[in-house]
Amino acid sequence: MSIPNQPLWEEASTEFTQRCAFVAVWGPESGGKTTFALSAPGPTALIHAAEKINGVTQPWVRTGKRIRLHNFGFVASTDEEETATRARVTWAATKSCYLDAMDKWAKSVVIDVEPDAYALRRFAKFGTLTPKGDTRDLYASINFDWRQLLKSKFRAQTETRQCNLITIHTATDEYRDVVKIAQSGPKKGQQIKVSERTGRQRMQGHKDIKYWADVVLWVYKDIMGDGEYHVRIDKGWWNGAVEGVDLSDTTMKDLGYQPSSVTGSHITFASVMGFITETNEKEWA
């Protein structure tokens, strides 16, 4: 077995040189997730599931930013075979657009929303989101494909071709199973398992996205408080000291970050990434 004619080792650098990131953005509806993602440097590929983008993209395009759109919105039918056939066509086109953007021209790729893209991939495989059988075996190829497409594809970039990957996610209530004594009904007095809200929310989408992403951000508008848009840093890459920090527009302004020419907000992709990595925001613009 021959050894490849290339160095097998490289020296670790003292400098942090990467200027692209895999960022997962989640939060409530109408919380500013897409607008935040579009503040990332362009050209931008916005791969969306028939999202409410009309009126959102135009202000950015008027400033000269190039945004190219691909709509993968998909409606399943009750016939699994028909659903799978149509989904395969839609998925093939979506995957092709994604790879084209990552490999050739985009500086930022935005998937809006990732849970719908992952659902499309499953529809293309099974024709349903609830296939019958051992889920570990059924989902092995799907999970491998999704990891290759998102995590591995992003990590495979070279220093001369650096593209941000931003996945957008919805939020849903978190539940936990608890055991209680039934107070009525046929099982009165017996132990039963019930699901209860924990009072927290969780990010929807592939369960491993939060591990694959460099940065995870909760983006929201504090409508009951200061009325400003906020970003809470749930995962701060290698900088654990910033995790849990809640950044408001006023906070970022006071720290000296520049406002967006489109929204006027000081919370932008560049400012937040500069804050997390302790680098100049201009390096992320």
Side-chain angles (χ1 to χ4, degrees):
M1 180 177 178
S2 61
I3 299 176
N5 186 25
Q6 61 185 34
L8 299 179
W9 292 95
E10 63 176 304
E11 297 297 328
S13 173
T14 59
E15 300 294 326
F16 172 68
T17 59
Q18 185 172 324
R19 293 299 182 269
C20 64
F22 183 167
V23 180
V25 178
W26 71 299
E29 289 293 326
S30 303
K33 299 183 295 296
T34 302
T35 297
F36 174 82
L38 291 178
S39 71
T44 300
L46 179 53
I47 301 172
H48 68 99
E51 296 299 316
K52 297 175 288 186
I53 61 170
N54 195 26
V56 176
T57 57
Q58 286 85 349
W60 297 97
V61 176
R62 291 189 198 109
T63 67
K65 174 176 283 189
R66 186 187 189 195
I67 300 176
R68 300 179 74 184
L69 309 173
H70 173 73
N71 181 354
F72 67 88
F74 182 80
V75 178
S77 72
T78 55
D79 186 294
E80 292 185 7
E81 185 175 343
E82 177 194 345
T83 295
T85 300
R86 290 192 297 108
R88 289 186 193 109
V89 174
T90 303
W91 172 245
T94 301
K95 183 176 180 179
S96 175
C97 286
Y98 170 80
L99 294 175
D100 174 65
M102 287 290 290
D103 288 337
K104 297 179 180 178
W105 59 269
K107 199 166 182 182
S108 298
V109 171
V110 179
I111 301 178
D112 189 4
V113 291
E114 186 273 343
D116 285 358
Y118 183 49
L120 173 63
R121 180 66 187 91
R122 283 141 59 207
F123 275 129
K125 177 73 173 180
F126 307 119
T128 176
L129 297 182
T130 55
K132 296 179 175 62
D134 188 327
T135 55
R136 290 171 298 182
D137 292 336
L138 288 171
Y139 278 91
S141 62
I142 293 290
N143 289 333
F144 177 78
D145 184 51
W146 206 240
R147 183 172 63 252
Q148 289 289 106
L149 196 63
L150 299 186
K151 177 187 175 183
S152 300
K153 185 63 181 175
F154 175 79
R155 302 284 178 230
Q157 297 183 97
T158 65
E159 290 189 7
T160 57
R161 173 71 190 137
Q162 295 197 19
C163 177
N164 298 298
L165 174 57
I166 305 170
T167 55
I168 298 178
H169 306 257
T170 45
T172 187
D173 289 330
E174 181 184 75
Y175 287 82
R176 65 177 177 182
D177 290 335
V178 296
V179 176
K180 290 188 171 182
I181 302 299
Q183 301 298 312
S184 60
K187 294 188 177 181
K188 183 177 179 179
Q190 299 179 34
Q191 288 187 337
I192 58 172
K193 183 188 294 184
V194 297
S195 292
E196 290 186 346
R197 286 191 178 95
T198 64
R200 298 186 295 269
Q201 291 193 306
R202 64 176 181 84
M203 186 173 75
Q204 289 190 301
H206 194 285
K207 62 183 177 61
D208 288 337
I209 288 285
K210 56 183 176 291
Y211 305 116
W212 301 341
D214 301 313
V215 171
V216 178
L217 304 172
W218 168 265
V219 177
Y220 69 102
K221 186 175 184 178
D222 187 8
I223 58 176
M224 301 300 291
D226 57 26
E228 296 183 1
Y229 285 99
H230 288 242
V231 166
R232 184 188 71 209
I233 303 170
D234 290 345
K235 182 179 179 182
W237 212 336
W238 40 263
N239 191 358
V242 302
E243 292 179 354
V245 172
D246 189 288
L247 302 170
S248 68
D249 179 47
T250 298
T251 300
M252 298 302 276
K253 180 180 179 180
D254 291 344
L255 289 172
Y257 289 101
Q258 297 301 306
S260 164
S261 61
V262 173
T263 66
S265 173
H266 296 76
I267 292 184
T268 64
F269 180 86
S271 66
V272 172
M273 292 307 301
F275 178 85
I276 291 172
T277 61
E278 300 176 349
T279 55
N280 193 306
E281 64 179 313
K282 292 180 181 179
E283 298 176 22
W284 295 92

